[in-house]
């Protein structure tokens, strides 16, 4: 129950990196700050001797990407976001083994099975493997999802015998506005991300009610609220050609 005990994200990630071999971090594909935060964690993971960084969006071989030194428009879909491009550059600079693991298939079971099999094979290829997996939304759910099935994380756990440590990112876009600001009031004012490790069960039941086990993930990152406001009084030139971005 509130008040929640929060941990500064750097402290929490350092502890997680020192204790785990397989860490899955979720992003919302429409929230670019999630990618910026994952990029900031990579140095901590590398210092803890993590060896691999895998992202579902990467569609070219990791060796080709590393030899070039940067992503291009053909690297993947989400990597077209400049912040995701920066993340990939950081992974290359830190000398992670890099790759993708997704399958363009609308069939749920085939896709989740392919993802888990690909990651498990790469994880088993080195005895010292320690892997950060960057995934979208529910793929990091390691328990059966009622009415949906077993996501990638649950299958990866079974194939490797290593329980993944799963991290969910939470920002204003992923909770109704009133619920998000209620949560911020409960944890107190923040100016940078903080973590709940483990997350409270009542919060997880709101976020991921379909999970057959609660809490559904091992940690939550809470991003601070944005402080800016829409510049409604701004008037630009060439307004008939303006496009909101």
């Amino acid at each position: 129950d509130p008040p929640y005990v929060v941990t500064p994200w750097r402290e929490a990630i350092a502890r997680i990196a020192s204790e785990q071999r397989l860490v899955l971090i979720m992003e919302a594909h429409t929230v670019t700050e999630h990618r910026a935060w994952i990029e900031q964690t990579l140095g901590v993971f590398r210092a803890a001797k993590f060896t691999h960084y895998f992202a579902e969006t990467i569609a070219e071989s990791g060796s080709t990407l590393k030899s070039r030194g940067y992503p291009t428009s053909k690297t993947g879909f989400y990597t077209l976001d400049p912040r995701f491009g920066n993340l990939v550059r950081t992974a290359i600079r830190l000398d992670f083994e890099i790759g993708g693991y997704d399958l363009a298939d609308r069939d749920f079971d085939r896709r989740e099975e392919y993802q888990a099999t690909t990651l498990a094979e790469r994880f088993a290829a080195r005895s010292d493997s320690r892997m950060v997996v960057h995934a979208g939304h529910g793929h990091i759910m390691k328990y059966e999802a009622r009415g949906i099935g077993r996501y990638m994380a649950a299958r990866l756990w079974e194939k490797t015998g290593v329980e993944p440590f799963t991290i969910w990112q939470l920002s204003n876009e992923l909770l109704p506005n009133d619920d998000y600001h209620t949560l911020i009031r409960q944890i107190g004012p923040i100016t940078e991300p903080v973590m709940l490790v483990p997350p409270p069960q009542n919060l997880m039941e709101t976020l991921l009610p379909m999970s057959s086990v609660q809490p559904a993930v091992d940690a939550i990152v809470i991003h601070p609220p944005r402080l800016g406001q829409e510049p409604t009084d701004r008037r630009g030139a060439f307004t008939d050609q303006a496009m909101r971005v």
Side-chain angles (χ1 to χ4, degrees), residues 159-171:
K159 292 176 187 299
T160 62
V162 176
E163 180 178 357
F165 189 94
T166 56
I167 301 174
W168 191 267
Q169 297 198 66
L170 184 60
S171 48

Side-chain angles (χ1 to χ4, degrees), residues 16-212:
I16 292 164
S18 70
E19 297 173 351
Q20 304 295 328
R21 289 186 60 203
L22 185 56
V23 178
L24 278 54
I25 307 179
M26 160 272 188
E27 73 154 33
H29 295 316
T30 56
V31 186
T32 189
E33 69 182 331
H34 289 185
R35 294 150 186 178
W37 182 78
I38 294 174
E39 180 189 2
Q40 294 178 74
T41 70
L42 290 185
V44 181
F45 283 112
R46 195 70 178 106
K49 303 191 185 312
F50 270 67
T51 54
H52 295 70
Y53 165 77
F54 271 69
E56 69 181 77
T57 184
I58 295 175
E60 65 176 327
S61 75
S63 58
T64 300
L65 180 54
K66 288 186 73 173
S67 65
R68 188 194 311 116
Y70 54 88
T72 71
S73 60
K74 299 184 184 302
T75 296
F77 181 74
Y78 298 119
T79 46
L80 295 173
D81 171 11
R83 282 187 171 176
F84 212 139
N86 287 342
L87 191 165
V88 172
R89 287 180 174 86
T90 296
I92 292 170
R93 176 175 56 80
L94 293 172
D95 199 30
F96 279 94
E97 289 191 31
I98 298 173
Y101 59 90
D102 202 7
L103 176 68
D105 194 323
R106 292 183 179 274
D107 183 88
F108 174 83
D109 284 310
R110 282 198 299 266
R111 185 183 182 199
E112 301 303 312
E113 185 68 16
Y114 178 89
Q115 289 187 352
T117 299
T118 301
L119 289 169
E121 288 174 351
R122 294 305 301 270
F123 188 75
R126 286 176 52 173
S127 59
D128 65 340
S129 290
R130 303 183 77 188
M131 183 180 291
V132 178
V133 179
H134 180 168
H137 298 282
H139 294 300
I140 74 162
M141 292 178 64
K142 61 184 179 182
Y143 303 110
E144 180 91 15
R146 289 186 291 264
I148 300 173
R150 296 169 67 243
Y151 277 101
M152 172 271 286
R155 300 168 193 246
L156 182 60
W157 184 359
E158 179 181 62
K159 292 176 187 299
T160 62
V162 176
E163 180 178 357
F165 189 94
T166 56
I167 301 174
W168 191 267
Q169 297 198 66
L170 184 60
S171 48
N172 199 24
E173 293 86 351
L174 300 183
L175 261 184
N177 194 57
D178 289 344
D179 289 343
Y180 174 80
H181 286 289
T182 297
L183 177 61
I184 291 296
R185 285 195 298 272
Q186 290 168 343
I187 66 173
I190 57 173
T191 57
E192 65 172 21
V194 296
M195 296 184 70
L196 300 178
V197 189
Q201 182 167 325
N202 62 338
L203 178 58
M204 291 313 306
E205 288 171 348
T206 299
L207 286 175
L208 298 171
M210 75 291 292
S211 178
S212 58

